[in-house]
Amino acid sequence: MKFVRRIFRFLLKVLLWFFALSIGLVIIYRFVPVPITPLMVIRLVEQAADEDRKIKLKKDWVSMEEISKNAPQAVYASEDQKFLEHSGFDFEAMKKAWEGNQQGKNIKGASTITQQTVKNVFLWQGRNYLRKGLEAYFTVLVELIWSKERIMEVYLNVIEMGDGIYGIEAASQEFYKKPAANLSRAEAAMIAAVLPNPIRWSPTRPTNYNRQRQAWIMKQMNNLSPLEWGN
């Protein structure tokens, strides 16, 4: 029984430390730029292990005031049109994805911008139950502690947008030789169009599919109301 009690106390301490550290980190990142993410570290290791690839890490944190309004509007239109309405989870999209996958249609998941932000900032890539559980936990925390504007700001600054390129400012400089503040609607839509696979696709070398996706995103941008932050 003593052994069982020791194990229980140990697990309880681990759990308490996890809650304290995770909540503390979410609070800190509510105000402080995210310095590096697990995905950035993983990509650096992959680059170092591949002789044919250069070690590359380009990122430059910018505030929402330094980002063209076209950029958040483009990812809002392409990635999560219920972003301002939901509390981190789009249950209707999740249900449709599950039903489609059950029918063998291989429909991709229905991750919201909040979930994608959480996955990039706090977690690793993968589909196991542990990671999905942690993703749900951090999604609830982030929605409770951060504003929608902050979620979008972090998302636009940490998301992978090319091989070794992270965030809208680095992507804008790399692909269009201009600051993110000056991105046009078409440029922002093209960056959003390649987000599903930024390693394979490039805004400066778009495929026909990318161009079709860009046109669809621009149409959605026109149909959706401009993002307004009700912090």
Side-chain angles (χ1 to χ4, degrees), residues 35-49:
I36 196 165
T37 69
L39 180 60
M40 293 177 191
V41 175
I42 291 170
R43 293 292 191 234
L44 286 173
V45 173
E46 291 175 349
Q47 291 169 356

Side-chain angles (χ1 to χ4, degrees), residues 22 34 41 45 66 68 90 94 97 118 133 135 143 149 169-170 175 178 200 213:
S22 59
V34 178
V41 175
V45 173
E66 300 172 272
S68 166
D90 186 343
M94 291 167 65
V118 161
E135 179 184 302
E143 284 281 346
E149 182 178 11
E169 179 67 19
F175 300 123
K178 63 170 68 174
R200 176 184 176 187
R213 179 74 176 166

Side-chain angles (χ1 to χ4, degrees), residues 3-198:
F3 176 75
V4 173
R5 284 197 295 269
R6 286 178 181 176
I7 293 295
F8 177 77
R9 285 197 296 268
F10 172 76
L11 292 176
L12 182 60
K13 287 180 180 179
V14 170
L15 195 61
L16 290 174
W17 272 107
F18 168 74
F19 283 129
L21 290 173
S22 59
I23 294 171
L25 199 57
V26 171
I27 292 173
I28 289 171
Y29 284 160
R30 169 66 177 86
F31 306 100
V32 177
V34 178
I36 196 165
T37 69
L39 180 60
M40 293 177 191
V41 175
I42 291 170
R43 293 292 191 234
L44 286 173
V45 173
E46 291 175 349
Q47 291 169 356
D50 189 341
E51 296 180 354
D52 297 327
R53 295 174 67 186
K54 295 181 180 179
I55 296 178
K56 182 179 179 182
L57 177 59
K58 289 188 175 182
K59 61 185 184 70
D60 188 3
W61 187 280
V62 288
S63 66
M64 286 295 283
E65 290 72 25
E66 300 172 272
I67 300 173
S68 166
K69 292 183 178 180
N70 293 318
Q73 190 75 8
V75 297
Y76 169 51
S78 64
E79 299 291 306
D80 184 3
Q81 295 188 7
K82 295 183 179 179
F83 176 61
L84 296 180
E85 303 170 20
H86 63 63
S87 297
F89 305 95
D90 186 343
F91 293 106
E92 183 179 349
M94 291 167 65
K95 180 182 178 182
K96 288 181 179 178
W98 185 84
E99 291 174 347
N101 290 330
Q102 290 295 107
Q103 296 171 11
K105 295 181 180 180
N106 195 29
I107 298 175
K108 69 175 183 177
S111 291
T112 63
I113 285 176
T114 308
Q115 289 174 287
Q116 293 180 53
T117 303
V118 161
K119 181 176 66 177
N120 277 272
V121 174
F122 301 104
L123 303 172
W124 63 94
Q125 303 295 306
R127 293 180 177 273
N128 59 72
Y129 289 115
L130 174 61
R131 196 199 67 79
K132 296 299 288 185
L134 289 173
E135 179 184 302
Y137 166 72
F138 275 104
T139 296
V140 172
L141 274 186
V142 164
E143 284 281 346
L144 284 173
I145 296 173
W146 297 4
S147 64
K148 287 291 187 179
E149 182 178 11
R150 179 59 176 178
I151 294 171
M152 180 65 78
E153 182 179 61
V154 174
Y155 175 83
L156 288 172
N157 274 286
V158 302
I159 196 74
E160 185 177 38
M161 295 188 172
D163 188 13
I165 302 167
Y166 304 89
I168 193 67
E169 179 67 19
S172 184
Q173 295 286 358
E174 176 79 9
F175 300 123
Y176 298 116
K177 312 303 178 187
K178 63 170 68 174
N182 297 336
L183 281 172
S184 68
R185 291 174 65 83
E187 291 164 345
M190 181 56 76
I191 289 176
V194 305
L195 284 184
N197 198 335

